[in-house]
Amino acid sequence: MSDGFKGAIFDVDGVLVDSPHEQAWRESLQELMEGPWSDIRPQTTWTPEGFTAELYQQRMSGKPRKAGATAALEYFGVPDIDRRVTEYGEHKQEMIIRLIKDGKFSAYDDAVRFLVEVKKAGIPVAAASSSKNAKLFLERVDLGNYGGSGNLHAAFDVDVSGRDFAEGKPNPEIFLTAAKELGVDPHDAFVCEDATNGIQAAKAGEFGAVGVSRADDVDALAAEGADIVVTDMGTIDVDALTAHRLATK
């Protein structure tokens, strides 16, 4: 076993940035149901109120676009899913790019400061989000506000976000790829994740796992085997990382 962790892998949406993905999925489906798909609406269980934060967190968060769209359409019993899933995904993508360009998202200060501290401790970092939009978010976060320089995307040594992996989370492929490109063994790296399927993926890959609770889901993240669960990443003990321990201060 090494002296300390040699790699840190960060999910993006929900860990580093408060992204408008949930808003984009919800509002784009509403636009479709009230417009082009209004003829099939009576055949479904969809209502505007039915698209809850819980639905997004439990069934969609952390999944690639097609899988996320499929999960929502299956949940609401939408007919002809195979034909509609691409249209839904594309409609959502147009909306999210508009929201990003309009600045309708914010960085989580605690997470960005933690990442800067991890870098200062000499631990290389990788971004590993299922989202193809991760780079767009990261490039718009100025590290000058956090004692660094440049944009957040430039701080990463490796970025495997948005690649077309054969399996999405909870399969560990995305994290194993990040570790390989960092040049570290999974046992010498830890993953920061806000979604239960992300924690499952980290543990399946035999990484250390930090659960980041942004949605009152401390118990759910702990139940998946997260080594520690925090609501504020500023409470993580950075000195302990150099001793290969995940701990809070």
Side-chain angles (χ1 to χ4, degrees), residues 38-156:
S38 57
D39 58 322
I40 58 128
R41 182 175 170 181
Q43 302 171 48
T44 73
T45 60
W46 178 85
T47 62
E49 307 76 44
F51 197 121
T52 61
E54 185 179 31
L55 163 63
Y56 175 75
Q57 277 295 330
Q58 293 185 355
R59 294 175 181 258
M60 302 172 73
S61 179
K63 291 185 176 179
R65 190 179 307 156
K66 186 176 180 183
T70 300
L73 298 184
E74 285 178 347
Y75 179 80
F76 290 115
V78 175
D80 303 323
I81 284 181
D82 291 345
R83 188 164 62 80
R84 297 181 192 278
V85 73
T86 302
E87 185 179 356
Y88 180 27
E90 289 175 352
H91 196 56
K92 171 259 178 184
Q93 180 63 8
E94 290 167 8
M95 181 172 286
I96 200 149
I97 287 178
R98 196 162 66 237
L99 291 169
I100 294 169
K101 287 180 174 172
D102 288 347
K104 297 288 175 65
F105 75 96
S106 58
Y108 284 112
D109 291 344
D110 61 310
V112 180
R113 289 197 184 98
F114 174 68
L115 185 141
V116 170
E117 289 297 311
V118 168
K119 292 271 291 181
K120 284 180 181 172
I123 301 172
V125 295
S129 168
S130 302
S131 172
K132 294 186 186 298
N133 302 301
K135 186 180 179 187
L136 278 174
F137 288 120
L138 296 174
E139 286 179 337
R140 282 170 168 73
V141 178
D142 181 1
L143 285 185
N145 301 324
Y146 302 94
S149 61
N151 68 61
L152 182 53
H153 187 261
F156 282 97

Side-chain angles (χ1 to χ4, degrees), residues 8-16 111 114-115 118 126 128 169 175 189-195 198-199 202 207-212 230 233 236 241 246:
I9 301 171
F10 290 79
D11 180 39
V12 176
D13 307 326
V15 173
L16 291 166
F114 174 68
L115 185 141
V118 168
K169 305 169 191 176
F175 296 144
F190 64 93
V191 170
C192 301
E193 259 285 357
D194 71 306
I199 296 296
F207 293 88
V210 176
V212 184
V230 297
M233 296 188 79
I236 301 170
L241 300 177
L246 292 172

Side-chain angles (χ1 to χ4, degrees), residues 3 17 21 29 60 83 91 137 145 161 184 200 211:
D3 295 329
V17 299
H21 273 89
L29 184 56
M60 302 172 73
R83 188 164 62 80
H91 196 56
F137 288 120
N145 301 324
S161 301
V184 301
Q200 290 168 0

Side-chain angles (χ1 to χ4, degrees), residues 25-45:
W25 278 121
R26 179 186 295 112
E27 292 183 7
S28 59
L29 184 56
Q30 182 166 353
E31 286 183 2
L32 288 168
M33 285 294 194
E34 293 178 349
W37 296 1
S38 57
D39 58 322
I40 58 128
R41 182 175 170 181
Q43 302 171 48
T44 73
T45 60

